[in-house]
């Protein structure tokens, strides 16, 4: 059996008087990728922030390689990125093409703001994903603002990190980026959640964006997805 990198049991988080989600459970092994899908306000960002140790859950348990999130940050390579707000006050950038220079330079907040949105996004992703080693990668809407070349770079980098044993959790409203990349999909819905493995969505072949959209719409309508009737995709 593949060693478990992340274990979430009966997790619940409350923001003010609002219960964001409740009784959420899943496990994710080393080298596996989980896609988190939901409408705005469904709790995608809250979930990633809770796993990263930024939010204390109301109840339930999270373990990363057997450690609490805060202990794991110190002892396990954890990368968390949720846009430019998670960048440090300055970034050391090298020849990544983002800056159009082969020289390493230090960018403070003022110089970071001078970059385009996609440039800041790419710079932040390269910063957090360039750390070694990485046992767990948490990315919130990572494709936001990226051009096609940068988006392909991100997908290829995540595949490489997985091959080296990193567990990956991604949230995105861009289903075409998640389709085919993840081993399982966690759908955050009003008052419930649904976890489906890729082979439960497509018996043969990859999960396509159209299939993922179909499942999401089915679940949003309040129905359950019948995994025995999963679409068979011909190669």
């Amino acid at each position: 059996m593949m060693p478990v990198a992340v274990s979430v049991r009966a997790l619940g988080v409350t923001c003010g008087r609002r219960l964001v989600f409740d009784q959420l459970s899943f496990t994710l092994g080393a080298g596996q990728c989980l896609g988190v899908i939901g409408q705005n306000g469904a709790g995608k960002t809250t979930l990633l922030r809770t796993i990263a140790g930024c939010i204390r859950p109301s109840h339930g348990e999270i373990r990363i390689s057997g450690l609490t999130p805060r202990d794991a940050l110190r002892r396990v390579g954890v990368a968390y990125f949720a846009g430019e707000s998670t960048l440090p006050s300055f970034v050391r950038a090298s020849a990544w093409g983002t800056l159009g220079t082969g020289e390493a330079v230090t960018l403070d907040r003022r110089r970071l703001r001078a970059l385009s949105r996609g440039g800041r996004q790419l710079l932040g992703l390269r910063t957090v994903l360039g750390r070694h080693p990485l046992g767990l990668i948490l990315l919130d809407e990572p494709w936001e603002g990226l051009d096609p070349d940068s988006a392909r770079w991100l997908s290829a980098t995540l595949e490489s990190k997985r091959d080296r044993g990193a567990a990956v959790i991604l949230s995105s409203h861009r289903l075409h980026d998640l389709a085919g990349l993840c081993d399982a999909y966690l759908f955050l819905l009003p008052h419930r959640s649904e976890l489906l493995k890729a082979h439960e969505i497509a018996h043969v072949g990859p999960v396509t964006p159209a299939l993922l959209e179909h499942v999401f719409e089915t679940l949003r309508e309040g129905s359950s997805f019948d995994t025995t009737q999963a679409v068979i995709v011909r190669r």
Side-chain angles (χ1 to χ4, degrees), residues 87 91-103 105 107 111-112 114-127 146-147 150 153:
L87 283 172
V91 174
R92 187 70 172 171
S94 58
W96 294 332
T98 305
L99 306 175
T101 176
E103 299 178 357
V105 296
L107 299 179
R111 297 186 68 186
L112 283 171
L115 296 175
S116 67
R117 181 185 183 188
R120 293 193 299 271
Q121 185 83 351
L122 180 59
L123 181 60
L125 289 165
R126 287 186 178 275
T127 299
L146 296 184
D147 60 31
S150 298
W153 167 84

Side-chain angles (χ1 to χ4, degrees), residues 17-18 48 59 66 93 102 108 112 115 118 123-124 172 225 232 235:
R17 296 183 178 180
R18 175 176 172 254
L48 265 65
H59 52 268
D108 57 19
L112 283 171
L115 296 175
L123 181 60
S172 180
F225 183 72
I232 297 179
R235 295 186 185 275

Side-chain angles (χ1 to χ4, degrees), residues 16 43 48 80 104 107 163 173 183 200 211 234:
L48 265 65
Y80 171 56
L107 299 179
D163 290 343
H173 66 276
D183 300 285
E200 293 176 319
L211 277 177
R234 300 299 180 188

Side-chain angles (χ1 to χ4, degrees), residues 44-178:
K44 302 187 299 295
T45 296
T46 298
L47 175 60
L48 265 65
R49 284 175 54 80
T50 305
I51 296 173
C54 302
I55 295 177
R56 187 182 297 274
S58 305
H59 52 268
E61 179 183 77
I62 300 173
R63 289 292 181 267
I64 302 171
S65 295
L67 305 171
T68 65
R70 292 193 176 186
D71 288 340
L73 286 174
R74 293 190 296 266
R75 299 173 57 183
V76 179
V78 178
Y80 171 56
F81 182 71
E84 60 186 279
S85 63
T86 53
L87 283 172
S89 58
F90 66 89
V91 174
R92 187 70 172 171
S94 58
W96 294 332
T98 305
L99 306 175
T101 176
E103 299 178 357
V105 296
T106 299
L107 299 179
D108 57 19
R109 285 291 186 191
R110 179 180 59 81
R111 297 186 68 186
L112 283 171
R113 286 195 295 269
L115 296 175
S116 67
R117 181 185 183 188
R120 293 193 299 271
Q121 185 83 351
L122 180 59
L123 181 60
L125 289 165
R126 287 186 178 275
T127 299
V128 298
L129 294 177
R131 297 166 49 199
H132 298 286
L134 286 178
L136 174 62
I137 297 171
L138 305 167
L139 302 182
D140 190 4
E141 299 290 352
W143 286 278
E144 196 69 34
L146 296 184
D147 60 31
D149 287 341
S150 298
R152 284 190 289 270
W153 167 84
L154 175 58
S155 297
T157 299
L158 292 175
E159 290 282 11
S160 176
K161 297 293 185 183
R162 291 176 61 191
D163 290 343
R164 297 177 185 176
V168 180
I169 301 180
L170 307 168
S171 79
S172 180
H173 66 276
R174 294 171 40 149
L175 301 187
H176 59 280
D177 289 315
L178 293 179

Side-chain angles (χ1 to χ4, degrees), residues 21-25 186-195:
F21 48 77
D22 189 30
Q23 297 301 313
L24 184 62
S25 299
L186 176 64
F187 298 87
L188 298 181
L189 307 155
H191 313 299
R192 68 187 179 107
S193 62
E194 190 96 19
L195 180 68

